[in-house]
Amino acid sequence: MPILELENVNFVYQGKNGSSEFSLNNVDLKINKGEFISILGPNGSGKSTLLKIVSGIFQPARGNVLLDSIPVKSYSKKNLAKFMAYVPQTFSVAFPFSVFEIVMMGRTPYMNMFGYENLKDIDVVNSSLEKVGIYHLRNKGINEVSGGEAQRAFIARALAQNPRILLLDEPNAHLDIEHQITIFNTLDQLNSDSELTILMVSHDLNLAGFYGDRILFMKEGEIKMDDAKKNILNEDNIRTIFNVESRVEKSPGGDYFSVNIVPK
Ligand code: ADP
Ligand code: MG
């Protein structure tokens, strides 16, 4: 039984005059527990829209999204938050919460009706802060840390939620190289040790070549290719999807791929 399933999902952004401006078409997807999947594709291909539909933020015009075979829309907010955490591509925080408070928000679904945190919540928040390397920033305001540090705070908040599925929208966009590696090693470890299912949107073909086992290539509102990374990451497919020339190299063991884009 897949942990997450999309059946013939369609979605349309309506323009001002009712015209359709962008549509996501006929998305069929089955994801099993413990998979680590990268979604790649050009700007505007519908990657973020797809994650918003999976997370229940948007309702599809047609089709179903099922978690453990149950429609996502029939989960309570609390149960959905225990099942799935979502790290959006952009975040704005109007109120000057501290980094610690932002990460503690991940514990909300586990709190009682009075919203009091207990020692376990504090432990989980502290260890999530440590996992992404921002424990020392816990008392700083979220608006007083760098973009990459804020991104790590939102990843820590998602980890504190202790979800079964983690959705990440370009989580490495603001991260320096060292923190890309530490955070992805953490995710990789959660994926292999606790069977955390990971669905990540990324622009980074190398990251997808290194982490995870399956790749979805999206273009023009459709999943054009969906396969194990060893079958997908090649020069022909990268040309078809991204319209660029590349050189793809395989590690000696065949587990990792590195992609170099070659200027025309
Ligand atoms: P990606 O994440 O692959 O870059 P998105 O899923 O964000 O792409 O967007 C897909 C398309 O839908 C884009 O052409 C974008 O302009 C359009 N779009 C995104 N959000 C909205 C919105 N809220 N209203 C109307 N159109 C949108
Ligand atoms: Mg996007």
Side-chain angles (χ1 to χ4, degrees), residues 199-262:
L199 190 55
M200 151 179 101
V201 169
S202 173
H203 269 306
D204 191 331
L205 289 158
N206 283 306
L207 208 62
F210 202 83
Y211 295 99
D213 29 49
R214 178 174 161 195
I215 291 180
L216 309 181
F217 270 159
M218 290 189 73
K219 196 173 186 176
E220 294 154 357
E222 288 178 16
I223 296 178
K224 301 282 188 195
M225 302 178 196
D226 172 0
D227 210 334
K229 73 181 170 195
K230 65 177 193 309
N231 299 330
I232 281 227
L233 271 188
N234 63 50
E235 292 152 15
D236 285 342
N237 290 344
I238 291 170
R239 187 182 308 112
T240 304
I241 299 293
F242 295 96
N243 195 28
V244 295
E245 294 303 315
S246 63
R247 294 285 167 271
V248 178
E249 281 172 39
K250 206 190 264 193
S251 70
D255 298 331
Y256 308 122
F257 297 82
S258 76
V259 180
N260 285 299
I261 302 302
V262 182

Side-chain angles (χ1 to χ4, degrees), residues 161-196:
Q161 238 170 287
N162 194 23
R164 295 171 57 197
I165 301 178
L166 181 58
L167 308 173
L168 301 150
D169 199 345
E170 296 193 28
N172 54 326
H174 302 283
L175 300 182
D176 62 47
I177 308 165
E178 182 190 354
H179 290 108
Q180 289 191 21
I181 302 295
T182 45
I183 287 181
F184 279 90
N185 284 347
T186 301
L187 296 178
D188 205 31
Q189 204 177 347
L190 287 168
N191 173 249
S192 40
D193 296 353
S194 342
E195 286 199 90
L196 174 67

Side-chain angles (χ1 to χ4, degrees), residues 38-95:
S38 301
I39 305 177
L40 298 135
N43 291 144
S45 53
K47 306 178 298 293
S48 294
T49 306
L50 181 66
L51 277 201
K52 286 175 189 164
I53 290 170
V54 170
S55 68
I57 295 173
F58 290 162
Q59 300 292 328
R62 265 192 296 134
N64 296 307
V65 181
L66 308 169
L67 293 176
D68 266 351
S69 302
I70 299 168
V72 67
K73 56 179 183 265
S74 61
Y75 281 76
S76 69
K77 231 177 142 183
K78 196 168 174 167
N79 284 337
L80 190 59
K82 288 181 184 171
F83 205 114
M84 187 157 63
Y86 165 61
V87 181
Q89 188 173 357
T90 51
F91 6 77
S92 60
V93 181
F95 194 80

